[in-house]
Amino acid sequence: MTAHRRRARSVHACFSVRETPGISVSVSQDGTGLAATARHTAQRVLAEAGRGYLGGRVELRTPRAPAHDASRPGASGTRRRRAVRRAADRAVALAVAATLRGDGVGVRVHIRPPL
């Protein structure tokens, strides 16, 4: 057994369609405004698909934020939040597109590590 286990870092998104307009969002860890980003992305994808009159519900699960590292303040936390936001954006877009195609499964997108 190895001493260091690598944790899977991914964002999981599910989308369900409703006939009434409007997008509701539930986010597991929302410290960076992911709910607003997810709502905007879902509305954009629906509009691009010609289904802007529909609404739905987005469920977004993100990994827990790491503990604060006092030795490297600022930069790494900002890069990590950006990476999580980009992964959430991709996951929501893919989940909405999959639901519109008829695939009712959730989408999992791996978070690219910040450089």
Side-chain angles (χ1 to χ4, degrees), residues 33-76:
L34 286 177
T37 302
R39 182 177 297 110
H40 177 71
T41 301
Q43 289 170 340
R44 178 179 50 83
V45 173
L46 284 171
E48 287 175 359
R51 304 280 197 263
Y53 57 89
L54 293 174
R57 176 170 178 75
V58 176
E59 293 180 24
L60 192 62
R61 281 179 281 187
T62 61
R64 189 175 63 224
H68 179 67
D69 185 8
S71 64
R72 295 192 62 198
S76 64

Side-chain angles (χ1 to χ4, degrees), residues 11 13 34 37-38 41 60 62 83-93 109:
V11 174
L34 286 177
T37 302
T41 301
L60 192 62
T62 61
V84 170
R85 192 176 320 128
R86 281 193 306 265
D89 190 45
R90 286 192 309 272
V92 170
V109 173

